[in-house]
Amino acid sequence: MDAKAQTLESGLISGMSNADYHALPSVSSSMLKTILRSPAHYYAAYLDGAPRKEPTANMVLGSLTHTLFLEPEQYGSEYIVAPECDRRTKEGKAVYAAFQDAADGLTVITADQLQTAQDMANALCGHIIHEAMTGGHAEASIFYSASVGGVGMACRIRPDYHIPPCDTWPSGLIIDVKTTDDARPEAFARTCVTYGYDLSAAMYCDGFQQHYGTTELEPPLFLLLVVERDAPHAVACYECSPEMLDKGSEKYRKALDLLPICRISGEWPGYDGGI
């Protein structure tokens, strides 16, 4: 096994691109949430050779906001703004052809998307929790092994921002940045259920504690820092409660147990076929 493969079995890596991270075979929270929907959905998404789905406009806006807020120095190496030109004219065609050459490997965005994401990032910077975001790691990838029936399963997490255990944060701190249409408590609670944020939080806490050797301590403080996509880009911050983490842990363990069963049996059932 080469050094890179060994590194990806356990440890923390900073500076790994999103593309490289998501191309790895180790298990992520998105994969576990998919198999809980049904093994058939997991197979179609990850094992059936299906082409990678193009991100939606909201996904692009969310990723762009993350970059501008957490890693602004990475913006130029990941995104490029499409020029405003009339591609029906000779001059416009030449401008766009030059742009396509420059855009190779980058995510193409519009000027409006960039402005909206910058406004959202500025709103996030204005929240009081931003003052606590010092001395930590932004978008660092953590690789660890989760025990499933006494056998280790290679897993990976990528907290938006985290601070290792220290005097200020004895158990550590994880901040997950979310973009949404409605950040009010009752509305965002429904969003948490819809997108399985409880499972993600539980998995991130498990990977965090295994990496930092704090499994005997309380889980790290897990905060959801939420910004609305529409003006005035209101921001709210929520702490994941013990009840939310407990529920997420149940789903996390259930998904971890189900995945090897399907792999070994080769059966990937969908929904219940009954009435």
Side-chain angles (χ1 to χ4, degrees), residues 160-195:
D160 291 334
Y161 189 88
H162 80 272
I163 297 176
C166 58
D167 290 341
T168 305
W169 309 99
S171 296
L173 171 69
I174 297 176
I175 297 177
D176 202 12
V177 179
K178 299 295 185 186
T179 57
T180 188
D181 290 328
D182 191 338
R184 289 176 294 177
E186 61 277 12
F188 189 67
R190 291 191 292 271
T191 299
C192 288
V193 173
T194 299
Y195 293 104

PDB file of all heavy atoms in Angstrom, residues 160-195:
ATOM      1  N   ASP A 160     -16.962  21.851   7.909  1.00  0.00           N
ATOM      2  CA  ASP A 160     -16.715  23.169   7.316  1.00  0.00           C
ATOM      3  C   ASP A 160     -15.643  23.914   8.109  1.00  0.00           C
ATOM      4  O   ASP A 160     -14.750  24.536   7.530  1.00  0.00           O
ATOM      5  CB  ASP A 160     -18.013  23.983   7.286  1.00  0.00           C
ATOM      6  CG  ASP A 160     -19.010  23.408   6.300  1.00  0.00           C
ATOM      7  OD1 ASP A 160     -18.577  22.746   5.327  1.00  0.00           O
ATOM      8  OD2 ASP A 160     -20.218  23.589   6.499  1.00  0.00           O
ATOM      9  N   TYR A 161     -15.753  23.845   9.431  1.00  0.00           N
ATOM     10  CA  TYR A 161     -14.751  24.476  10.288  1.00  0.00           C
ATOM     11  C   TYR A 161     -14.730  23.734  11.608  1.00  0.00           C
ATOM     12  O   TYR A 161     -15.788  23.388  12.141  1.00  0.00           O
ATOM     13  CB  TYR A 161     -15.078  25.957  10.534  1.00  0.00           C
ATOM     14  CG  TYR A 161     -13.972  26.708  11.238  1.00  0.00           C
ATOM     15  CD1 TYR A 161     -12.947  27.305  10.506  1.00  0.00           C
ATOM     16  CD2 TYR A 161     -13.935  26.800  12.628  1.00  0.00           C
ATOM     17  CE1 TYR A 161     -11.912  27.973  11.143  1.00  0.00           C
ATOM     18  CE2 TYR A 161     -12.902  27.474  13.269  1.00  0.00           C
ATOM     19  CZ  TYR A 161     -11.897  28.056  12.522  1.00  0.00           C
ATOM     20  OH  TYR A 161     -10.865  28.703  13.152  1.00  0.00           O
ATOM     21  N   HIS A 162     -13.540  23.461  12.114  1.00  0.00           N
ATOM     22  CA  HIS A 162     -13.485  22.831  13.433  1.00  0.00           C
ATOM     23  C   HIS A 162     -12.253  23.288  14.200  1.00  0.00           C
ATOM     24  O   HIS A 162     -11.238  23.664  13.612  1.00  0.00           O
ATOM     25  CB  HIS A 162     -13.520  21.302  13.319  1.00  0.00           C
ATOM     26  CG  HIS A 162     -12.208  20.660  12.969  1.00  0.00           C
ATOM     27  ND1 HIS A 162     -11.778  20.451  11.674  1.00  0.00           N
ATOM     28  CD2 HIS A 162     -11.213  20.154  13.757  1.00  0.00           C
ATOM     29  CE1 HIS A 162     -10.598  19.862  11.671  1.00  0.00           C
ATOM     30  NE2 HIS A 162     -10.225  19.665  12.928  1.00  0.00           N
ATOM     31  N   ILE A 163     -12.396  23.260  15.509  1.00  0.00           N
ATOM     32  CA  ILE A 163     -11.309  23.591  16.425  1.00  0.00           C
ATOM     33  C   ILE A 163     -11.039  22.360  17.281  1.00  0.00           C
ATOM     34  O   ILE A 163     -11.963  21.809  17.892  1.00  0.00           O
ATOM     35  CB  ILE A 163     -11.665  24.790  17.316  1.00  0.00           C
ATOM     36  CG1 ILE A 163     -11.876  26.046  16.465  1.00  0.00           C
ATOM     37  CG2 ILE A 163     -10.572  25.041  18.358  1.00  0.00           C
ATOM     38  CD1 ILE A 163     -12.319  27.272  17.255  1.00  0.00           C
ATOM     39  N   PRO A 164      -9.802  21.873  17.318  1.00  0.00           N
ATOM     40  CA  PRO A 164      -9.478  20.701  18.133  1.00  0.00           C
ATOM     41  C   PRO A 164      -9.730  20.982  19.616  1.00  0.00           C
ATOM     42  O   PRO A 164      -9.827  22.147  20.037  1.00  0.00           O
ATOM     43  CB  PRO A 164      -7.983  20.473  17.862  1.00  0.00           C
ATOM     44  CG  PRO A 164      -7.706  21.180  16.576  1.00  0.00           C
ATOM     45  CD  PRO A 164      -8.630  22.363  16.554  1.00  0.00           C
ATOM     46  N   PRO A 165      -9.849  19.952  20.438  1.00  0.00           N
ATOM     47  CA  PRO A 165     -10.010  20.153  21.881  1.00  0.00           C
ATOM     48  C   PRO A 165      -8.910  21.068  22.427  1.00  0.00           C
ATOM     49  O   PRO A 165      -7.731  20.916  22.101  1.00  0.00           O
ATOM     50  CB  PRO A 165      -9.890  18.734  22.444  1.00  0.00           C
ATOM     51  CG  PRO A 165     -10.348  17.855  21.328  1.00  0.00           C
ATOM     52  CD  PRO A 165      -9.860  18.523  20.075  1.00  0.00           C
ATOM     53  N   CYS A 166      -9.311  22.023  23.245  1.00  0.00           N
ATOM     54  CA  CYS A 166      -8.370  23.004  23.804  1.00  0.00           C
ATOM     55  C   CYS A 166      -8.968  23.556  25.090  1.00  0.00           C
ATOM     56  O   CYS A 166     -10.043  23.138  25.519  1.00  0.00           O
ATOM     57  CB  CYS A 166      -8.105  24.120  22.797  1.00  0.00           C
ATOM     58  SG  CYS A 166      -9.596  25.014  22.279  1.00  0.00           S
ATOM     59  N   ASP A 167      -8.289  24.515  25.706  1.00  0.00           N
ATOM     60  CA  ASP A 167      -8.789  25.085  26.960  1.00  0.00           C
ATOM     61  C   ASP A 167     -10.141  25.766  26.756  1.00  0.00           C
ATOM     62  O   ASP A 167     -11.035  25.656  27.601  1.00  0.00           O
ATOM     63  CB  ASP A 167      -7.777  26.095  27.512  1.00  0.00           C
ATOM     64  CG  ASP A 167      -6.503  25.426  28.017  1.00  0.00           C
ATOM     65  OD1 ASP A 167      -6.548  24.200  28.270  1.00  0.00           O
ATOM     66  OD2 ASP A 167      -5.476  26.109  28.147  1.00  0.00           O
ATOM     67  N   THR A 168     -10.288  26.473  25.646  1.00  0.00           N
ATOM     68  CA  THR A 168     -11.550  27.171  25.382  1.00  0.00           C
ATOM     69  C   THR A 168     -12.665  26.204  25.041  1.00  0.00           C
ATOM     70  O   THR A 168     -13.809  26.372  25.460  1.00  0.00           O
ATOM     71  CB  THR A 168     -11.369  28.179  24.227  1.00  0.00           C
ATOM     72  OG1 THR A 168     -10.292  29.070  24.543  1.00  0.00           O
ATOM     73  CG2 THR A 168     -12.647  28.979  24.003  1.00  0.00           C
ATOM     74  N   TRP A 169     -12.343  25.188  24.247  1.00  0.00           N
ATOM     75  CA  TRP A 169     -13.322  24.191  23.824  1.00  0.00           C
ATOM     76  C   TRP A 169     -12.798  22.812  24.243  1.00  0.00           C
ATOM     77  O   TRP A 169     -12.145  22.119  23.460  1.00  0.00           O
ATOM     78  CB  TRP A 169     -13.515  24.239  22.309  1.00  0.00           C
ATOM     79  CG  TRP A 169     -13.788  25.609  21.780  1.00  0.00           C
ATOM     80  CD1 TRP A 169     -12.896  26.468  21.197  1.00  0.00           C
ATOM     81  CD2 TRP A 169     -15.041  26.309  21.802  1.00  0.00           C
ATOM     82  NE1 TRP A 169     -13.498  27.635  20.859  1.00  0.00           N
ATOM     83  CE2 TRP A 169     -14.824  27.579  21.213  1.00  0.00           C
ATOM     84  CE3 TRP A 169     -16.318  25.982  22.254  1.00  0.00           C
ATOM     85  CZ2 TRP A 169     -15.837  28.511  21.076  1.00  0.00           C
ATOM     86  CZ3 TRP A 169     -17.325  26.915  22.112  1.00  0.00           C
ATOM     87  CH2 TRP A 169     -17.087  28.155  21.527  1.00  0.00           C
ATOM     88  N   PRO A 170     -13.038  22.395  25.498  1.00  0.00           N
ATOM     89  CA  PRO A 170     -12.460  21.145  26.025  1.00  0.00           C
ATOM     90  C   PRO A 170     -12.769  19.910  25.181  1.00  0.00           C
ATOM     91  O   PRO A 170     -11.936  19.010  25.078  1.00  0.00           O
ATOM     92  CB  PRO A 170     -13.080  21.034  27.426  1.00  0.00           C
ATOM     93  CG  PRO A 170     -13.394  22.440  27.804  1.00  0.00           C
ATOM     94  CD  PRO A 170     -13.818  23.115  26.535  1.00  0.00           C
ATOM     95  N   SER A 171     -13.956  19.860  24.593  1.00  0.00           N
ATOM     96  CA  SER A 171     -14.318  18.721  23.748  1.00  0.00           C
ATOM     97  C   SER A 171     -14.167  19.035  22.267  1.00  0.00           C
ATOM     98  O   SER A 171     -14.425  18.184  21.415  1.00  0.00           O
ATOM     99  CB  SER A 171     -15.764  18.282  24.025  1.00  0.00           C
ATOM    100  OG  SER A 171     -15.895  17.805  25.351  1.00  0.00           O
ATOM    101  N   GLY A 172     -13.787  20.277  21.957  1.00  0.00           N
ATOM    102  CA  GLY A 172     -13.666  20.691  20.562  1.00  0.00           C
ATOM    103  C   GLY A 172     -14.925  21.394  20.068  1.00  0.00           C
ATOM    104  O   GLY A 172     -15.951  21.438  20.766  1.00  0.00           O
ATOM    105  N   LEU A 173     -14.835  21.942  18.864  1.00  0.00           N
ATOM    106  CA  LEU A 173     -15.946  22.688  18.258  1.00  0.00           C
ATOM    107  C   LEU A 173     -16.022  22.354  16.778  1.00  0.00           C
ATOM    108  O   LEU A 173     -15.011  22.320  16.083  1.00  0.00           O
ATOM    109  CB  LEU A 173     -15.730  24.193  18.423  1.00  0.00           C
ATOM    110  CG  LEU A 173     -16.674  25.121  17.660  1.00  0.00           C
ATOM    111  CD1 LEU A 173     -18.090  25.045  18.228  1.00  0.00           C
ATOM    112  CD2 LEU A 173     -16.162  26.564  17.698  1.00  0.00           C
ATOM    113  N   ILE A 174     -17.242  22.079  16.296  1.00  0.00           N
ATOM    114  CA  ILE A 174     -17.494  21.887  14.874  1.00  0.00           C
ATOM    115  C   ILE A 174     -18.567  22.881  14.446  1.00  0.00           C
ATOM    116  O   ILE A 174     -19.607  23.011  15.107  1.00  0.00           O
ATOM    117  CB  ILE A 174     -17.967  20.453  14.561  1.00  0.00           C
ATOM    118  CG1 ILE A 174     -16.889  19.427  14.926  1.00  0.00           C
ATOM    119  CG2 ILE A 174     -18.332  20.320  13.078  1.00  0.00           C
ATOM    120  CD1 ILE A 174     -17.330  17.983  14.723  1.00  0.00           C
ATOM    121  N   ILE A 175     -18.302  23.576  13.342  1.00  0.00           N
ATOM    122  CA  ILE A 175     -19.280  24.512  12.784  1.00  0.00           C
ATOM    123  C   ILE A 175     -19.624  24.057  11.372  1.00  0.00           C
ATOM    124  O   ILE A 175     -18.743  23.900  10.526  1.00  0.00           O
ATOM    125  CB  ILE A 175     -18.741  25.954  12.763  1.00  0.00           C
ATOM    126  CG1 ILE A 175     -18.490  26.439  14.194  1.00  0.00           C
ATOM    127  CG2 ILE A 175     -19.733  26.884  12.052  1.00  0.00           C
ATOM    128  CD1 ILE A 175     -17.879  27.823  14.271  1.00  0.00           C
ATOM    129  N   ASP A 176     -20.909  23.829  11.133  1.00  0.00           N
ATOM    130  CA  ASP A 176     -21.389  23.411   9.820  1.00  0.00           C
ATOM    131  C   ASP A 176     -22.186  24.573   9.228  1.00  0.00           C
ATOM    132  O   ASP A 176     -23.192  24.997   9.802  1.00  0.00           O
ATOM    133  CB  ASP A 176     -22.272  22.169   9.972  1.00  0.00           C
ATOM    134  CG  ASP A 176     -22.376  21.355   8.706  1.00  0.00           C
ATOM    135  OD1 ASP A 176     -21.599  21.609   7.775  1.00  0.00           O
ATOM    136  OD2 ASP A 176     -23.248  20.461   8.636  1.00  0.00           O
ATOM    137  N   VAL A 177     -21.726  25.102   8.106  1.00  0.00           N
ATOM    138  CA  VAL A 177     -22.363  26.266   7.476  1.00  0.00           C
ATOM    139  C   VAL A 177     -23.419  25.775   6.497  1.00  0.00           C
ATOM    140  O   VAL A 177     -23.145  24.931   5.633  1.00  0.00           O
ATOM    141  CB  VAL A 177     -21.322  27.137   6.754  1.00  0.00           C
ATOM    142  CG1 VAL A 177     -21.994  28.330   6.083  1.00  0.00           C
ATOM    143  CG2 VAL A 177     -20.248  27.608   7.726  1.00  0.00           C
ATOM    144  N   LYS A 178     -24.629  26.301   6.631  1.00  0.00           N
ATOM    145  CA  LYS A 178     -25.730  25.891   5.769  1.00  0.00           C
ATOM    146  C   LYS A 178     -26.377  27.106   5.108  1.00  0.00           C
ATOM    147  O   LYS A 178     -26.514  28.168   5.722  1.00  0.00           O
ATOM    148  CB  LYS A 178     -26.809  25.153   6.575  1.00  0.00           C
ATOM    149  CG  LYS A 178     -26.339  23.875   7.262  1.00  0.00           C
ATOM    150  CD  LYS A 178     -25.926  22.821   6.255  1.00  0.00           C
ATOM    151  CE  LYS A 178     -25.578  21.499   6.934  1.00  0.00           C
ATOM    152  NZ  LYS A 178     -25.040  20.507   5.959  1.00  0.00           N
ATOM    153  N   THR A 179     -26.781  26.931   3.844  1.00  0.00           N
ATOM    154  CA  THR A 179     -27.575  27.952   3.165  1.00  0.00           C
ATOM    155  C   THR A 179     -28.994  27.428   3.041  1.00  0.00           C
ATOM    156  O   THR A 179     -29.212  26.228   2.828  1.00  0.00           O
ATOM    157  CB  THR A 179     -27.002  28.260   1.770  1.00  0.00           C
ATOM    158  OG1 THR A 179     -26.944  27.045   1.007  1.00  0.00           O
ATOM    159  CG2 THR A 179     -25.599  28.837   1.882  1.00  0.00           C
ATOM    160  N   THR A 180     -29.964  28.310   3.170  1.00  0.00           N
ATOM    161  CA  THR A 180     -31.356  27.870   3.207  1.00  0.00           C
ATOM    162  C   THR A 180     -32.269  28.987   2.735  1.00  0.00           C
ATOM    163  O   THR A 180     -31.853  30.146   2.587  1.00  0.00           O
ATOM    164  CB  THR A 180     -31.733  27.451   4.648  1.00  0.00           C
ATOM    165  OG1 THR A 180     -33.027  26.843   4.650  1.00  0.00           O
ATOM    166  CG2 THR A 180     -31.745  28.641   5.590  1.00  0.00           C
ATOM    167  N   ASP A 181     -33.532  28.640   2.513  1.00  0.00           N
ATOM    168  CA  ASP A 181     -34.529  29.657   2.155  1.00  0.00           C
ATOM    169  C   ASP A 181     -35.118  30.323   3.384  1.00  0.00           C
ATOM    170  O   ASP A 181     -35.553  31.469   3.321  1.00  0.00           O
ATOM    171  CB  ASP A 181     -35.660  29.022   1.332  1.00  0.00           C
ATOM    172  CG  ASP A 181     -35.199  28.603  -0.059  1.00  0.00           C
ATOM    173  OD1 ASP A 181     -34.314  29.276  -0.614  1.00  0.00           O
ATOM    174  OD2 ASP A 181     -35.723  27.599  -0.582  1.00  0.00           O
ATOM    175  N   ASP A 182     -35.159  29.592   4.507  1.00  0.00           N
ATOM    176  CA  ASP A 182     -35.815  30.101   5.711  1.00  0.00           C
ATOM    177  C   ASP A 182     -35.063  29.582   6.934  1.00  0.00           C
ATOM    178  O   ASP A 182     -35.069  28.388   7.221  1.00  0.00           O
ATOM    179  CB  ASP A 182     -37.273  29.620   5.743  1.00  0.00           C
ATOM    180  CG  ASP A 182     -38.111  30.313   6.807  1.00  0.00           C
ATOM    181  OD1 ASP A 182     -37.517  30.850   7.780  1.00  0.00           O
ATOM    182  OD2 ASP A 182     -39.355  30.322   6.680  1.00  0.00           O
ATOM    183  N   ALA A 183     -34.395  30.481   7.644  1.00  0.00           N
ATOM    184  CA  ALA A 183     -33.568  30.090   8.790  1.00  0.00           C
ATOM    185  C   ALA A 183     -34.303  30.193  10.126  1.00  0.00           C
ATOM    186  O   ALA A 183     -33.685  29.987  11.171  1.00  0.00           O
ATOM    187  CB  ALA A 183     -32.299  30.951   8.841  1.00  0.00           C
ATOM    188  N   ARG A 184     -35.592  30.480  10.097  1.00  0.00           N
ATOM    189  CA  ARG A 184     -36.336  30.520  11.362  1.00  0.00           C
ATOM    190  C   ARG A 184     -36.352  29.127  11.995  1.00  0.00           C
ATOM    191  O   ARG A 184     -36.313  28.121  11.277  1.00  0.00           O
ATOM    192  CB  ARG A 184     -37.763  31.014  11.121  1.00  0.00           C
ATOM    193  CG  ARG A 184     -37.849  32.492  10.780  1.00  0.00           C
ATOM    194  CD  ARG A 184     -39.268  32.891  10.452  1.00  0.00           C
ATOM    195  NE  ARG A 184     -39.747  32.241   9.228  1.00  0.00           N
ATOM    196  CZ  ARG A 184     -40.978  32.373   8.736  1.00  0.00           C
ATOM    197  NH1 ARG A 184     -41.857  33.136   9.371  1.00  0.00           N
ATOM    198  NH2 ARG A 184     -41.316  31.752   7.613  1.00  0.00           N
ATOM    199  N   PRO A 185     -36.419  29.051  13.344  1.00  0.00           N
ATOM    200  CA  PRO A 185     -36.290  27.755  14.027  1.00  0.00           C
ATOM    201  C   PRO A 185     -37.234  26.675  13.509  1.00  0.00           C
ATOM    202  O   PRO A 185     -36.800  25.557  13.214  1.00  0.00           O
ATOM    203  CB  PRO A 185     -36.582  28.096  15.496  1.00  0.00           C
ATOM    204  CG  PRO A 185     -36.186  29.526  15.624  1.00  0.00           C
ATOM    205  CD  PRO A 185     -36.540  30.167  14.314  1.00  0.00           C
ATOM    206  N   GLU A 186     -38.519  26.997  13.380  1.00  0.00           N
ATOM    207  CA  GLU A 186     -39.475  25.966  12.986  1.00  0.00           C
ATOM    208  C   GLU A 186     -39.247  25.509  11.544  1.00  0.00           C
ATOM    209  O   GLU A 186     -39.385  24.319  11.221  1.00  0.00           O
ATOM    210  CB  GLU A 186     -40.923  26.451  13.177  1.00  0.00           C
ATOM    211  CG  GLU A 186     -41.313  27.683  12.349  1.00  0.00           C
ATOM    212  CD  GLU A 186     -40.909  29.003  12.982  1.00  0.00           C
ATOM    213  OE1 GLU A 186     -40.137  28.995  13.951  1.00  0.00           O
ATOM    214  OE2 GLU A 186     -41.381  30.055  12.492  1.00  0.00           O
ATOM    215  N   ALA A 187     -38.877  26.441  10.674  1.00  0.00           N
ATOM    216  CA  ALA A 187     -38.644  26.089   9.274  1.00  0.00           C
ATOM    217  C   ALA A 187     -37.335  25.312   9.121  1.00  0.00           C
ATOM    218  O   ALA A 187     -37.272  24.306   8.404  1.00  0.00           O
ATOM    219  CB  ALA A 187     -38.615  27.347   8.409  1.00  0.00           C
ATOM    220  N   PHE A 188     -36.295  25.756   9.813  1.00  0.00           N
ATOM    221  CA  PHE A 188     -35.012  25.086   9.665  1.00  0.00           C
ATOM    222  C   PHE A 188     -35.020  23.713  10.328  1.00  0.00           C
ATOM    223  O   PHE A 188     -34.307  22.815   9.893  1.00  0.00           O
ATOM    224  CB  PHE A 188     -33.879  25.941  10.233  1.00  0.00           C
ATOM    225  CG  PHE A 188     -32.520  25.392   9.910  1.00  0.00           C
ATOM    226  CD1 PHE A 188     -32.061  25.365   8.600  1.00  0.00           C
ATOM    227  CD2 PHE A 188     -31.705  24.876  10.904  1.00  0.00           C
ATOM    228  CE1 PHE A 188     -30.823  24.831   8.293  1.00  0.00           C
ATOM    229  CE2 PHE A 188     -30.461  24.342  10.602  1.00  0.00           C
ATOM    230  CZ  PHE A 188     -30.023  24.321   9.289  1.00  0.00           C
ATOM    231  N   ALA A 189     -35.850  23.535  11.347  1.00  0.00           N
ATOM    232  CA  ALA A 189     -35.985  22.199  11.956  1.00  0.00           C
ATOM    233  C   ALA A 189     -36.493  21.200  10.920  1.00  0.00           C
ATOM    234  O   ALA A 189     -36.027  20.065  10.856  1.00  0.00           O
ATOM    235  CB  ALA A 189     -36.935  22.260  13.153  1.00  0.00           C
ATOM    236  N   ARG A 190     -37.437  21.637  10.087  1.00  0.00           N
ATOM    237  CA  ARG A 190     -37.937  20.750   9.028  1.00  0.00           C
ATOM    238  C   ARG A 190     -36.834  20.461   8.009  1.00  0.00           C
ATOM    239  O   ARG A 190     -36.720  19.342   7.499  1.00  0.00           O
ATOM    240  CB  ARG A 190     -39.151  21.390   8.351  1.00  0.00           C
ATOM    241  CG  ARG A 190     -40.394  21.463   9.232  1.00  0.00           C
ATOM    242  CD  ARG A 190     -41.631  21.848   8.440  1.00  0.00           C
ATOM    243  NE  ARG A 190     -41.572  23.214   7.959  1.00  0.00           N
ATOM    244  CZ  ARG A 190     -42.011  24.273   8.640  1.00  0.00           C
ATOM    245  NH1 ARG A 190     -42.524  24.109   9.860  1.00  0.00           N
ATOM    246  NH2 ARG A 190     -41.943  25.489   8.136  1.00  0.00           N
ATOM    247  N   THR A 191     -36.023  21.470   7.712  1.00  0.00           N
ATOM    248  CA  THR A 191     -34.912  21.273   6.782  1.00  0.00           C
ATOM    249  C   THR A 191     -33.925  20.245   7.330  1.00  0.00           C
ATOM    250  O   THR A 191     -33.406  19.405   6.583  1.00  0.00           O
ATOM    251  CB  THR A 191     -34.192  22.616   6.535  1.00  0.00           C
ATOM    252  OG1 THR A 191     -35.114  23.541   5.952  1.00  0.00           O
ATOM    253  CG2 THR A 191     -33.006  22.440   5.607  1.00  0.00           C
ATOM    254  N   CYS A 192     -33.667  20.310   8.628  1.00  0.00           N
ATOM    255  CA  CYS A 192     -32.747  19.348   9.258  1.00  0.00           C
ATOM    256  C   CYS A 192     -33.241  17.923   9.080  1.00  0.00           C
ATOM    257  O   CYS A 192     -32.455  17.004   8.797  1.00  0.00           O
ATOM    258  CB  CYS A 192     -32.598  19.657  10.751  1.00  0.00           C
ATOM    259  SG  CYS A 192     -31.646  21.142  11.119  1.00  0.00           S
ATOM    260  N   VAL A 193     -34.548  17.721   9.210  1.00  0.00           N
ATOM    261  CA  VAL A 193     -35.124  16.392   9.044  1.00  0.00           C
ATOM    262  C   VAL A 193     -35.044  15.968   7.580  1.00  0.00           C
ATOM    263  O   VAL A 193     -34.640  14.840   7.261  1.00  0.00           O
ATOM    264  CB  VAL A 193     -36.588  16.368   9.533  1.00  0.00           C
ATOM    265  CG1 VAL A 193     -37.241  15.027   9.198  1.00  0.00           C
ATOM    266  CG2 VAL A 193     -36.649  16.625  11.031  1.00  0.00           C
ATOM    267  N   THR A 194     -35.419  16.867   6.678  1.00  0.00           N
ATOM    268  CA  THR A 194     -35.446  16.543   5.248  1.00  0.00           C
ATOM    269  C   THR A 194     -34.079  16.117   4.732  1.00  0.00           C
ATOM    270  O   THR A 194     -33.957  15.155   3.965  1.00  0.00           O
ATOM    271  CB  THR A 194     -35.944  17.750   4.440  1.00  0.00           C
ATOM    272  OG1 THR A 194     -37.278  18.085   4.861  1.00  0.00           O
ATOM    273  CG2 THR A 194     -35.956  17.446   2.945  1.00  0.00           C
ATOM    274  N   TYR A 195     -33.039  16.806   5.158  1.00  0.00           N
ATOM    275  CA  TYR A 195     -31.699  16.557   4.624  1.00  0.00           C
ATOM    276  C   TYR A 195     -30.800  15.736   5.556  1.00  0.00           C
ATOM    277  O   TYR A 195     -29.609  15.576   5.285  1.00  0.00           O
ATOM    278  CB  TYR A 195     -31.028  17.888   4.274  1.00  0.00           C
ATOM    279  CG  TYR A 195     -31.709  18.582   3.123  1.00  0.00           C
ATOM    280  CD1 TYR A 195     -32.538  19.678   3.341  1.00  0.00           C
ATOM    281  CD2 TYR A 195     -31.547  18.128   1.817  1.00  0.00           C
ATOM    282  CE1 TYR A 195     -33.180  20.311   2.288  1.00  0.00           C
ATOM    283  CE2 TYR A 195     -32.184  18.748   0.757  1.00  0.00           C
ATOM    284  CZ  TYR A 195     -33.005  19.839   0.994  1.00  0.00           C
ATOM    285  OH  TYR A 195     -33.648  20.459  -0.057  1.00  0.00           O
TER     286      TYR A 195
END
